[in-house]
Structures are given as C-alpha cells and as structure tokens.
Amino acid sequence: MLGLSEDGTLKEYEPVGRKRILLADDHGTIVEEIRSLLKDEYEVVGAVDNGKTLVEAAKRLDPDLVISDISMPVMTGFEAASRMRDLGLRAKIMFLTVQSSAAYLKRARSLGACGYVLKVYSAEQLPIAVSKVLAGETYFSPQLEQPRQS
C-alpha cells in the first residue's frame, strides 16, 4: 500500500497487524474471488498467473502466505513451491486446487504445504484455512482422499 511519509513523499508501507498474502492462479476470476474473500482481514500484496512469476514475486514481496493453484503455465505450483523452499523463503504455502487425489495431497505435504483446499469448497473453507495456517496450524480439506501409509 502507498502512503505519505513525514516529508510528503509517497512510500510503501505495510499496515500494522495485517498478514500479507500472495495469490497465484491462471484464472483471473478465481483470483478475484479469493481476493474478495480475504481482503477485509488480510493484505493481498499481489496476484500472479504462473509459477515462475510466483517465485519472483515471493522473493520481492516477502508474503506471510502464498495461496497457489497447482496447475499453472510456465511452472506448476508444485515446482514453484519447491523452488521457494530451495531459496529459503519464509512464506507458508497453501494450495487451492481442483486436484483431490491422494497423490497430489502427498506431494503437497512433501513440499511442506501447510494447507490444501479444494476450489469447490473455497468460499466456506478458505477463510478458516488461512486463519489456521497463519496461526501456525495446518488445514487440509476434509473431503480430500487421504494418502495411504507406506
């Protein structure tokens, strides 16, 4: 957000107490739905439409949470999450996706995802999931197929 500094020049600032969220989805309507669900409680610092841009934006914007789709062009959400972890970025990662299979959930967990919400349930589950993840907990849609123990 922008504001005026004491000398009257414009500067960027972070509102006190508001957690910063970066969104990644290649469907603009989904991004707008997510933004409208979260904007009153959190600062949505940006939205990107592919995994490569997600990694670049996460480095630059230093969000508290990244909410990403899995299937995106250029680089998938999984690839972006792996790259963000390799870079040591502090943002927690949550996936918002249509993928409900146990294999996808297992992969998300292996990448350190703190949350995994199915898009069909986003309106009811996403605000709860974001709150829990930002409080240090995890949230995985209860409707998900659970991975088998190996």
Side-chain angles (χ1 to χ4, degrees):
M1 295 182 74
L2 295 174
L4 289 177
S5 65
E6 290 180 17
D7 65 1
T9 59
L10 282 177
K11 69 172 191 166
E12 270 192 63
Y13 71 97
E14 178 180 343
V16 176
R18 287 179 56 126
K19 297 290 187 174
R20 298 164 51 87
I21 299 176
L22 175 60
L23 308 177
D25 197 299
D26 58 330
H27 295 97
T29 55
I30 298 292
V31 168
E32 287 310 310
E33 287 173 20
I34 299 167
R35 186 188 315 266
S36 69
L37 281 172
L38 303 176
K39 69 180 179 181
D40 292 339
E41 292 287 322
Y42 308 100
E43 181 183 4
V44 178
V45 295
V48 297
D49 63 1
N50 70 71
K52 183 174 187 266
T53 307
L54 170 57
V55 174
E56 293 165 359
K59 285 192 302 190
R60 189 177 73 253
L61 297 171
D62 189 32
D64 297 296
L65 175 65
V66 168
I67 300 174
S68 177
D69 191 7
I70 293 171
S71 300
M72 293 187 293
V74 185
M75 181 187 290
T76 69
F78 282 164
E79 292 167 325
S82 178
R83 183 75 182 121
M84 287 186 287
R85 291 294 166 237
D86 291 347
L87 292 169
L89 301 183
R90 70 174 187 91
K92 294 178 183 200
I93 298 172
M94 176 184 299
F95 291 104
L96 179 65
T97 181
V98 298
Q99 305 297 338
S100 63
S101 78
Y104 278 89
L105 178 57
K106 185 175 182 178
R107 177 78 173 124
R109 286 183 175 192
S110 76
L111 292 167
C114 299
Y116 194 107
V117 176
L118 295 173
K119 283 184 179 178
V120 70
Y121 302 109
S122 62
E124 63 189 63
Q125 293 180 7
L126 194 59
I128 296 164
V130 169
S131 176
K132 285 184 177 269
V133 167
L134 288 173
E137 300 175 43
T138 59
Y139 185 93
F140 298 93
S141 285
Q143 296 81 4
L144 287 165
E145 178 184 328
Q146 296 301 310
R148 294 181 192 171
Q149 299 298 322
S150 18

